[in-house]
Amino acid sequence: MKTLFIGGIKSGKSRLAEAYILERTATDKPYYLATTEFFDDEMRARILIHQQRRQDLFVTIEEPVKLFEALQKCRGPVLVECISMWLNNQLYHQIPETDILQELEAVLQLSCDMVLVHNEVGLSVIADNRLARQFVDLSGKAAQLMGRHCDQVFFCSAGLKMQMK
């Protein structure tokens, strides 16, 4: 089973995805694949909030770039937090878009139960710089790919989720 939680920044999607996977995991702890790289103090503070919230409820794996490789090692349900940051990391490391989307496609073919978290960034104005437009375009393509492959899709806003699929 593949499930996508998508919504804006601070929409509650991470918290809702965490609760969702914990409710559906019967015995062992689910995996939590964290994709964010530490670039500055503000990002470290955001990560600390996530770490404190999940406490010891998950088996945490930190992998900012090699998503498929890390997920192959998971032997149970896994929460990927988040695809948006993974895309950001891929662009930062100058990975070609075709390679990024191929890796995401391969991830979605894995047999493990997976909950994916992704920022909806296509509800705003067109950015004024090339890199931001490239990220938004890639993010939209990734969202459509996940939407096609996931069994369930939830849109999150105001701390609530609405099932789309």
Side-chain angles (χ1 to χ4, degrees), residues 86-123:
W86 176 73
L87 294 174
N88 177 72
N89 300 340
Q90 298 293 303
L91 291 175
Y92 178 79
H93 292 287
Q94 300 181 348
I95 307 298
E97 181 179 297
T98 53
D99 293 353
I100 297 168
L101 294 173
Q102 284 176 354
E103 183 168 355
L104 182 56
E105 178 86 37
V107 161
L108 293 165
Q109 300 300 323
L110 291 170
S111 61
C112 64
D113 288 339
M114 192 178 304
V115 176
L116 304 152
V117 177
H118 186 56
N119 289 328
E120 173 55 72
V121 297
L123 299 175

Side-chain angles (χ1 to χ4, degrees), residues 50-160:
H50 283 255
Q51 290 170 335
Q52 290 171 341
R53 188 175 61 226
R54 68 179 179 257
Q55 299 172 14
D56 66 344
L57 300 172
F58 295 88
V59 176
T60 301
I61 299 169
E62 295 182 359
E63 177 48 60
V65 178
K66 297 176 182 173
L67 191 60
F68 181 77
E69 186 179 306
L71 287 168
Q72 282 185 305
K73 299 173 186 174
C74 296
R75 299 291 172 235
V78 61
L79 171 64
V80 180
E81 177 33 338
C82 80
I83 295 297
S84 304
M85 289 307 299
W86 176 73
L87 294 174
N88 177 72
N89 300 340
Q90 298 293 303
L91 291 175
Y92 178 79
H93 292 287
Q94 300 181 348
I95 307 298
E97 181 179 297
T98 53
D99 293 353
I100 297 168
L101 294 173
Q102 284 176 354
E103 183 168 355
L104 182 56
E105 178 86 37
V107 161
L108 293 165
Q109 300 300 323
L110 291 170
S111 61
C112 64
D113 288 339
M114 192 178 304
V115 176
L116 304 152
V117 177
H118 186 56
N119 289 328
E120 173 55 72
V121 297
L123 299 175
S124 187
V125 298
I126 297 173
D128 66 350
N129 71 78
R130 183 181 167 281
L131 181 59
R133 289 190 302 273
Q134 182 183 10
F135 176 77
V136 169
D137 290 349
L138 177 60
S139 182
K141 290 174 186 176
Q144 291 180 46
L145 182 62
M146 289 183 288
R148 280 194 305 274
H149 284 278
C150 286
D151 304 291
Q152 292 183 309
V153 177
F154 294 97
F155 183 79
C156 303
S157 182
L160 303 170

Side-chain angles (χ1 to χ4, degrees), residues 13-22 28-38 43-64 77-82 85 117:
K13 64 193 171 304
S14 298
R15 182 184 50 78
L16 291 165
E18 290 166 5
Y20 178 89
I21 197 168
L22 288 170
D28 294 333
K29 293 178 186 180
Y31 290 89
Y32 191 110
L33 198 151
T35 63
T36 301
E37 288 188 287
F38 303 94
M43 191 56 82
R44 279 188 176 86
R46 287 176 179 259
I47 291 167
L48 183 60
I49 291 167
H50 283 255
Q51 290 170 335
Q52 290 171 341
R53 188 175 61 226
R54 68 179 179 257
Q55 299 172 14
D56 66 344
L57 300 172
F58 295 88
V59 176
T60 301
I61 299 169
E62 295 182 359
E63 177 48 60
V78 61
L79 171 64
V80 180
E81 177 33 338
C82 80
M85 289 307 299
V117 177

